Amino acid sequence: MQLLMDRICRDGKIREGNVLKVDSFLNHQMDIELFAAIGQEFKQRFSDAEITKILTIEASGIGIACITAQYFGVPVVFAKKNKTKNIAGDVYTSQVESFTHARSYDILVAKEFLTQEDKVLIIDDFLANGSALLGLSALIRHAGATLVGAGIVIEKGFQPGGTMLRKQGVRIESLAIIESMDQNEIVFR
Amino acid sequence: MQLLMDRICRDGKIREGNVLKVDSFLNHQMDIELFAAIGQEFKQRFSDAEITKILTIEASGIGIACITAQYFGVPVVFAKKNKTKNIAGDVYTSQVESFTHARSYDILVAKEFLTQEDKVLIIDDFLANGSALLGLSALIRHAGATLVGAGIVIEKGFQPGGTMLRKQGVRIESLAIIESMDQNEIVFR
């Protein structure tokens, strides 16, 4: 998606440890006009698929998922990161490894919001090692729902998540795939 | 806002300790069509005001803020809840008391995304004791920006936040104000 790649080149900042900061338009300050273009692009790429629900994970996936949902005419459910030791009652849970924070945490979705009848599109801002996507897929599997695919804004193609999940048969549509990056240049696939 | 009040009566669940669960349409599963109506209502109520930015707080404010921002044509910034002891560099911070979790936490916004020139509309899902709103107001004050007002989806009128903040001169537009609630009935102001 050219508009997005141009924006990443213009406003993205590369930091140590393969960190790409896009917080001026994607995940801290959010450019809603860009989000609308992103949502329309996801709709076009998944226009052949039947989708009943969009699933994302707090916090930075929520805005993109909500704007995108308008083009699909479906509700959004966001998986919550569990902050307490006690998980109450009727929820599906799975674990996500955070490489950034070097720890793992549980995510959860109330059972009533993910059912066997649901055909689910996952939306998230980043795909790198694939841990969040694996965790969200597990929630969908626990619910007996169908995973239609995942719409990702930025995939770090040099990290293993995308390759691993595609090998597992997950349909992934990434709007920008970064092949490599250093202080001077971002190369897209 | 009648559509919203009807929905609260139909799908809201009252739990012990004055808890109103609206997670089937507002803050876990999100009804995007309802959000569009909410966004348009906020736009109408603040149609007289100049607004350059919408500020909210993760996680459940983000979806409503993003959908609302489309009607104002402005970007959204969400304040992050600080998870680490170390706050890095160029951020404004303030503290929020959580009554639900009986503790306080820091929120932060990068300085570059809130400036003296900004005229800020706060959007959030709930107003009860007003702690989140006070914290967000403090971030705006630290930045030297202007707080135009706050758009709230559900205000618990029987808790002190709304009265306190209006006394301080904050313009608050709440789409549903709950005067009282028990297992049998929700009374709106």
Side-chain angles (χ1 to χ4, degrees):
Chain A
M1 185 185 173
Q2 198 56 48
L3 181 72
L4 175 65
M5 290 188 281
D6 291 347
R7 189 64 176 273
I8 293 167
C9 289
R10 197 186 80 190
D11 293 333
K13 288 171 192 161
I14 295 162
R15 296 281 182 266
E16 266 180 58
N18 280 327
V19 171
L20 174 65
K21 278 192 72 162
V22 286
D23 57 359
S24 66
F25 60 94
L26 194 67
N27 50 18
H28 184 14
Q29 181 166 253
M30 298 179 286
D31 180 338
I32 304 301
E33 277 183 46
L34 176 67
F35 281 23
I38 286 170
Q40 288 166 41
E41 178 77 19
F42 282 138
K43 173 63 189 172
Q44 198 187 319
R45 294 199 186 197
F46 287 99
S47 58
D48 59 313
E50 190 194 347
I51 286 157
T52 65
K53 203 160 276 183
I54 287 177
L55 179 67
T56 188
I57 184 168
E58 64 171 87
S60 49
I62 296 175
I64 301 154
C66 285
I67 298 291
T68 299
Q70 296 179 122
Y71 302 102
F72 288 90
V74 299
V76 174
V77 174
F78 68 89
K80 298 184 182 192
K81 293 174 181 172
N82 190 40
K83 283 126 195 162
T84 58
K85 284 284 164 202
N86 309 312
I87 294 176
D90 294 327
V91 295
Y92 298 113
T93 67
S94 65
Q95 220 174 44
V96 172
E97 309 281 331
S98 169
F99 292 84
T100 321
H101 300 104
R103 57 180 198 89
S104 69
Y105 55 90
D106 293 316
I107 59 173
L108 60 89
V109 162
K111 287 186 179 175
E112 60 186 311
F113 305 136
L114 216 47
T115 72
Q116 281 193 325
E117 287 71 41
D118 277 321
K119 300 175 201 310
V120 183
L121 173 64
I122 295 173
I123 295 286
D124 209 0
D125 55 345
F126 270 98
L127 169 58
N129 287 296
S131 187
L133 232 169
L134 278 174
L136 291 170
S137 307
L139 296 178
I140 293 167
R141 202 167 54 244
H142 296 334
T146 305
L147 171 59
V148 175
I152 302 294
V153 181
I154 303 175
E155 178 178 343
K156 288 175 168 173
F158 53 87
Q159 287 183 251
T163 304
M164 172 189 68
L165 284 151
R166 286 186 184 94
K167 271 190 190 154
Q168 291 183 15
V170 179
R171 176 177 174 187
I172 297 174
E173 296 283 352
S174 298
L175 304 191
I177 303 179
I178 297 175
E179 194 65 55
S180 66
M181 60 185 201
D182 60 32
Q183 293 300 337
N184 304 310
E185 200 186 14
I186 296 173
V187 178
F188 294 99
R189 187 175 296 172
Chain B
M1 186 183 172
Q2 198 57 47
L3 180 73
L4 175 66
M5 290 189 280
D6 292 347
R7 189 65 176 273
I8 293 167
C9 289
R10 197 186 80 189
D11 293 333
K13 288 171 192 162
I14 295 162
R15 295 282 182 265
E16 265 180 58
N18 281 327
V19 172
L20 173 65
K21 277 192 71 160
V22 286
D23 58 0
S24 66
F25 60 95
L26 194 67
N27 50 19
H28 184 14
Q29 181 166 254
M30 298 179 286
D31 179 338
I32 303 301
E33 277 182 49
L34 176 67
F35 281 22
I38 286 171
Q40 288 166 42
E41 178 77 19
F42 282 137
K43 174 61 190 172
Q44 198 186 319
R45 295 200 185 195
F46 286 99
S47 58
D48 58 315
E50 191 195 346
I51 287 157
T52 65
K53 202 160 277 184
I54 287 177
L55 179 67
T56 188
I57 184 168
E58 66 170 83
S60 49
I62 296 174
I64 302 153
C66 285
I67 298 291
T68 299
Q70 295 179 123
Y71 302 103
F72 287 90
V74 300
V76 175
V77 174
F78 69 89
K80 299 184 181 192
K81 293 174 181 172
N82 190 41
K83 283 124 195 162
T84 58
K85 285 284 165 202
N86 309 313
I87 295 176
D90 293 327
V91 296
Y92 298 113
T93 67
S94 65
Q95 218 173 47
V96 173
E97 309 282 330
S98 169
F99 292 85
T100 321
H101 300 105
R103 59 179 197 87
S104 69
Y105 55 91
D106 293 316
I107 59 172
L108 60 89
V109 162
K111 287 186 179 175
E112 59 185 311
F113 304 137
L114 215 48
T115 72
Q116 280 195 326
E117 287 71 41
D118 277 321
K119 299 175 201 310
V120 183
L121 174 63
I122 294 174
I123 295 285
D124 208 359
D125 56 343
F126 269 99
L127 169 58
N129 287 295
S131 187
L133 233 169
L134 279 174
L136 291 169
S137 307
L139 296 178
I140 293 167
R141 202 167 53 244
H142 296 334
T146 305
L147 171 58
V148 175
I152 302 294
V153 181
I154 302 175
E155 178 178 341
K156 289 175 166 172
F158 54 87
Q159 287 183 250
T163 304
M164 173 190 67
L165 283 150
R166 286 186 184 93
K167 270 190 189 155
Q168 291 182 15
V170 180
R171 176 177 175 187
I172 297 174
E173 296 283 351
S174 298
L175 304 190
I177 303 179
I178 297 174
E179 194 65 55
S180 66
M181 60 185 201
D182 60 33
Q183 293 299 338
N184 304 311
E185 201 187 14
I186 296 173
V187 179
F188 294 99
R189 187 176 295 171

